[in-house]
Amino acid sequence: MPKNEKKAIKLIFLGAPGAGKGTQAELTAKKYNIPTISTGAMLREAIAAGTELGKTAAGYVESGALVPDDIIVGIMRDRILQPDCENGFILDGFPRTIAQAVALGESGTEISVVIDIEVPDEKIIDRMSGRCVCADCGATYHLVYNPTGDGVHCDKCGGELILRRDDDPVVVARRLKTYHTETEPLVGYYEGRGTLSRVDGDGKVEDITAKIFEVIDGYIAAEN
């Protein structure tokens, strides 16, 4: 790598539902000028574009079946080759399992840092009970921890804020159980590969953000 060329920052954010991954990914993307790649949005884009992988994925989506890992990884690979990923990217919602992580690595994608945002389950249940989302642009807020200016409308587009159905305490408990069973093993997987950094996610948004930036800046300093 040339002396003055900066290495791309390829990030994965891990953490249970409600740990704050979306908020922190948005802030990180803005600071380091890299896109956040959402699995759902990526699939929709590939299907809309009519790529070969998109056409294949459409068949599964339309039938209500899960899209196989190899197709997801292929679409992911195509997405991160786009010009806006030149400086790096943040993966949101992928990988969810060890199998997906292995497939991602075998595709040639080398992840720089995996940030695990750790929050106790009881705090997550409390936190998610006040979480809301903009009905128009999808921006996420919290009535206590990350409120909008008036608590009713989105600060970005002025859309109405709504509570998400999947933030019901019973649903949250079910989602947490799924996370601990299927996704949490990724913590050990990436720790074994030397790319994991744990961040305490129980606190003010700005304090957690500062910890995450410290981890990323440390990586950049070491690589450049």
Side-chain angles (χ1 to χ4, degrees):
M1 183 172 62
K3 185 175 181 180
N4 294 326
E5 183 179 339
K6 293 184 178 180
K7 190 170 182 178
I9 311 165
K10 303 174 183 179
L11 307 173
I12 292 175
F13 278 56
L14 294 180
K21 298 186 300 296
T23 297
Q24 296 301 335
E26 181 180 353
L27 294 168
T28 301
K30 183 177 180 179
K31 175 176 172 62
Y32 296 97
N33 191 30
I34 55 178
T36 297
I37 301 175
S38 164
T39 306
M42 181 187 65
L43 270 174
R44 289 190 294 272
E45 289 171 4
I47 292 171
T51 65
E52 288 303 313
L53 285 171
K55 292 176 183 177
T56 304
Y60 289 95
V61 173
E62 290 169 3
S63 67
L66 291 176
V67 180
D69 289 347
D70 59 336
I71 296 176
I72 292 288
V73 172
I75 293 175
M76 180 73 71
R77 185 181 60 245
D78 289 347
R79 174 65 183 86
I80 63 182
L81 290 175
Q82 297 301 311
D84 64 333
C85 293
E86 182 178 348
N87 295 326
F89 52 79
I90 302 168
L91 298 187
D92 176 17
F94 185 90
R96 291 185 182 274
T97 64
I98 295 290
Q100 290 181 349
V102 171
L104 181 64
E106 291 177 345
S107 75
T109 301
E110 182 180 345
I111 298 300
S112 309
V113 180
V114 178
I115 296 174
D116 180 34
I117 302 176
E118 301 183 332
V119 182
D121 283 4
E122 59 271 19
K123 290 281 187 177
I124 285 178
I125 293 173
D126 175 63
R127 180 184 292 182
M128 292 179 74
S129 65
R131 196 165 68 167
C132 50
V133 61
C134 174
D136 293 335
C137 74
T140 57
Y141 300 94
H142 193 281
L143 299 178
V144 176
Y145 303 112
N146 184 32
T148 62
D150 64 5
V152 178
H153 300 95
C154 176
D155 285 342
K156 294 182 177 181
C157 72
E160 182 182 358
L161 300 182
I162 58 174
L163 296 178
R164 299 182 0 169
R165 292 181 180 178
D166 57 358
D167 286 344
D168 177 271
V170 175
V171 177
V172 171
R174 189 182 306 127
R175 293 174 65 198
L176 286 172
K177 182 178 180 180
T178 300
Y179 169 79
H180 291 311
T181 301
E182 298 182 2
T183 306
E184 194 170 42
L186 286 170
V187 173
Y189 175 80
Y190 283 114
E191 189 167 40
R193 298 178 69 85
T195 54
L196 185 82
S197 289
R198 300 173 186 268
V199 171
D200 183 359
D202 184 15
K204 295 181 178 179
V205 170
E206 58 268 29
D207 293 338
I208 300 166
T209 303
K211 296 173 188 175
I212 291 172
F213 288 175
E214 183 177 355
V215 169
I216 298 172
D217 289 341
Y219 168 80
I220 293 173
E223 291 296 321
N224 298 317

